[in-house]
């Protein structure tokens, strides 16, 4: 039905499925045309579909299920699992001298139970999310103590500096734009961070919350431990949308489950000269390669963003373990190539 696109949406949206679902709407008024809009307008999409609410995943299951199955290798009858216990993670810093790993970042997406997701949320509801989440975060103390900055109140210089230092989301992403995620911009959007900028929360970007732990270097376990604690604190004040089957509910089906992306920024100049070899290792460990400025960006100064690809049907510990094991293998191969150069 959708031609000239390799997205999973285009692959699975047959005429029959379109006819079967085209007149349905969720209780938030989200339709099949809304689901597929981003992929229709951006033919280079990898996925091309967004949910407006938890109900979208049920109502439009004939389209979402095969997308989820192909991306996560997770079938309709599978159950998600969770383990956020840092004690179960085996991740001793693989680069103590700091020769390869520039920084480590782990983020999870969260959305509030019984609220529409970003593509279907109203301006008023978005504001409610902002107030509720920022008030809770502003009450945090100890290492997580920090301040909320509404996008509206940041100067262009402050905003650009946060973006170029990898702390803040960019504006104007065309995939999010088509999905309706940039409506009423910049209202209701903002960032909370602690003084060290090791704990950050984005509010009302692709998901209502993106909870982030990051720091320089390769101490992956420390980053995971901070995130695990922060999530515990957030859950004391907010109930997040979660289902036994799909785990944490997110607007993009790639983020379902743990909603976790654990990444390192890493310098691998020798491997970068042989992308086929580089990709054979990342594929073996279920990893994705992104550019230095995040999704849909290029590598700068030979720095790559390496992260787990699987998020659903695997626990939080397994997501990070995937990334860790792959990074250990990448560093070993890089050292090999260095020695034999
Ligand atoms: P997300 O991870 O939130 O899905 P992006 O891929 O757009 O979205 O990344 C968001 C930002 O986080 C970008 O500026 C990206 O460069 C930065 N980032 C990702 N991983 C790391 C890392 N390990 N160290 C520093 N910054 C990172
Ligand atoms: C796409 O379909 O390409 C965008 N909507 C982003 C999808 C999620 N990102 C990813 O898998 N890398």
């Amino acid at each position: 039905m959708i031609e000239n696109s390799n997205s999973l949406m285009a692959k699975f949206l047959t005429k029959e499925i379109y006819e079967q679902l085209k007149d349905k709407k969720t209780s938030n008024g989200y339709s099949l045309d809304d689901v597929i809009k981003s992929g229709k307008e951006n033919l280079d999409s990898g996925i091309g579909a967004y949910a407006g609410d938890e109900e979208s995943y049920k109502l439009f299951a004939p389209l979402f299920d095969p997308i989820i199955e192909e991306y996560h290798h997770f079938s309709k009858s599978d159950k998600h699992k969770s383990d956020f216990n840092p004690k179960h993670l085996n991740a001793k810093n693989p680069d103590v001298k700091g020769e390869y790993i520039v920084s480590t970042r782990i983020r999870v997406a969260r959305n509030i139970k019984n609220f529409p997701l970003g593509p279907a949320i109203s301006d008023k509801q978005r504001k409610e999310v902002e107030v509720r989440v920022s008030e809770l975060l502003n009450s945090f103390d100890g290492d997580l103590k920090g301040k909320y900055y509404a996008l509206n109140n940041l100067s262009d210089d402050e905003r650009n500096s946060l973006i170029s230092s990898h702390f803040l989301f960019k504006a104007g992403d065309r995939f999010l734009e088509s999905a309706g995620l940039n409506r009423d911009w910049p209202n209701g959007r903002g960032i909370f961070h602690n003084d060290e900028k090791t704990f950050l929360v984005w509010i009302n970007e692709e998901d209502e919350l993106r909870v982030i732990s990051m720091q320089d270097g390769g101490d992956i376990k420390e980053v995971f431990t901070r995130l695990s604690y922060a999530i515990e604190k957030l859950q004391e004040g907010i109930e997040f949308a979660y289902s036994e089957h799909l785990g944490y509910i997110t607007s993009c089906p790639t983020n379902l489950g743990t909603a976790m992306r654990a990444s390192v920024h890493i310098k691998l100049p020798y491997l970068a000269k042989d992308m086929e070899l580089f990709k054979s290792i990342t594929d073996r460990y279920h990893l994705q390669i992104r550019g230095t400025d995040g999704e849909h960006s290029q590598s700068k100064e030979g720095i790559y963003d390496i992260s787990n690809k699987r998020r659903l049907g695997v626990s939080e510990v397994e997501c990070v373990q995937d990334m860790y094991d792959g990074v250990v293998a990448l560093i070993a191969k890089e050292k090999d190539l260095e020695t034999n150069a």
Side-chain angles (χ1 to χ4, degrees):
M1 249 202 75
I2 311 275
E3 285 173 12
N4 302 320
S5 171
N6 292 322
S7 72
L8 295 185
M9 178 277 285
K11 178 171 175 182
F12 295 116
L13 185 70
T14 59
K15 239 190 157 58
E16 292 69 38
I17 291 185
Y18 187 79
E19 285 304 318
Q20 178 195 345
L21 301 177
K22 72 177 183 354
D23 298 321
K24 294 188 189 291
K25 274 193 176 173
T26 69
S27 44
N28 293 299
Y30 203 73
S31 69
L32 180 65
D33 285 328
D34 296 325
V35 171
I36 66 173
K37 189 163 174 281
S38 188
K40 232 175 124 175
E41 292 180 2
N42 299 282
L43 295 174
D44 56 343
S45 292
I47 307 298
Y50 286 87
D53 37 34
E54 184 168 350
E55 199 186 334
S56 300
Y57 286 109
K58 292 202 185 88
L59 197 61
F60 307 115
L63 176 62
F64 276 120
D65 283 348
I67 293 177
I68 291 167
E69 178 143 16
E70 179 144 332
Y71 184 87
H72 295 281
H73 306 286
F74 183 85
S75 83
K76 273 198 294 203
S77 53
D78 285 335
K79 272 200 177 139
H80 182 59
K81 55 178 165 177
S82 176
D83 178 5
F84 223 135
N85 187 343
K87 287 194 186 128
H88 299 161
L89 181 69
N90 183 8
K92 198 164 141 260
N93 188 344
D95 179 31
V96 183
K97 288 197 206 143
E99 292 170 284
Y100 305 95
I101 302 178
V102 179
S103 51
T104 302
R105 172 182 185 266
I106 310 179
R107 62 86 165 150
V108 289
R110 291 290 183 270
N111 291 282
I112 302 178
K113 192 178 162 138
N114 297 330
F115 261 71
L117 299 167
I121 204 167
S122 70
D123 197 28
K124 186 162 168 267
Q125 287 167 319
R126 199 186 292 110
K127 186 82 205 159
E128 270 176 66
V129 170
E130 182 191 32
V131 170
R132 208 165 138 189
V133 178
S134 62
E135 280 181 359
L136 177 62
L137 287 167
N138 282 334
S139 75
F140 280 13
D141 54 18
D143 292 347
L144 303 185
K145 186 177 165 53
K147 204 177 149 207
Y148 176 67
Y149 304 84
L151 216 53
N152 269 325
N153 298 334
L154 285 175
S155 70
D156 283 355
D157 280 354
E158 287 168 326
R159 195 167 43 82
N160 289 333
S161 151
L162 284 170
I163 294 171
S164 61
S165 323
H166 306 288
F167 295 124
L168 181 62
F169 48 85
K170 293 170 274 191
D173 180 284
R174 67 190 157 91
F175 301 86
L176 302 190
E177 175 69 33
S178 301
L181 276 154
N182 293 344
R183 287 171 300 121
D184 315 306
W185 187 275
N187 293 355
R189 278 83 174 186
I191 181 173
F192 171 93
H193 65 75
N194 64 356
D195 293 341
E196 298 77 28
K197 300 199 186 78
T198 53
F199 168 59
L200 309 95
V201 181
W202 297 352
I203 299 185
N204 287 318
E205 196 241 8
E206 184 175 324
D207 290 288
E208 288 159 13
L209 288 86
R210 286 287 175 97
V211 187
I212 300 161
S213 170
M214 66 195 282
Q215 67 193 45
D216 288 346
D219 194 338
I220 295 166
K221 191 157 179 155
E222 187 167 292
V223 174
F224 184 72
T225 305
R226 184 187 303 113
L227 183 63
S228 170
Y229 177 68
I231 285 291
E232 227 176 86
K233 300 300 295 172
L234 278 164
Q235 275 170 341
E236 286 171 13
I238 298 174
E239 189 173 359
F240 296 120
Y242 184 87
S243 95
E244 277 209 349
H245 173 52
L246 293 178
Y248 288 99
I249 304 299
T250 55
S251 67
C252 176
T254 62
N255 282 319
L256 288 164
T258 57
M260 174 174 280
R261 194 169 86 85
S263 67
V264 288
H265 269 183
I266 187 166
K267 287 183 275 191
L268 300 167
Y270 286 94
L271 268 171
K273 287 187 205 148
D274 186 349
M275 284 315 279
E276 213 172 298
L277 176 62
F278 196 161
K279 280 199 76 143
S280 72
I281 303 175
T282 51
D283 284 350
R284 196 177 325 138
Y285 290 90
H286 315 287
L287 302 180
Q288 190 180 49
I289 307 175
R290 293 188 182 185
T292 321
D293 293 323
E295 191 163 28
H296 309 119
S297 75
Q298 297 300 311
S299 164
K300 284 187 197 155
E301 295 160 26
I303 297 175
Y304 291 86
D305 169 335
I306 306 295
S307 62
N308 62 297
K309 187 164 180 243
R310 302 186 298 177
R311 316 190 212 288
L312 175 60
V314 285
S315 72
E316 288 78 0
V317 167
E318 286 171 304
C319 286
V320 181
Q321 201 69 57
D322 270 356
M323 189 274 273
Y324 178 83
D325 295 344
V327 165
V328 168
L330 286 168
I331 293 177
K333 182 50 83 180
E334 179 72 12
K335 284 185 175 164
D336 246 27
L337 295 172
E338 239 170 65
T339 316
N340 297 316

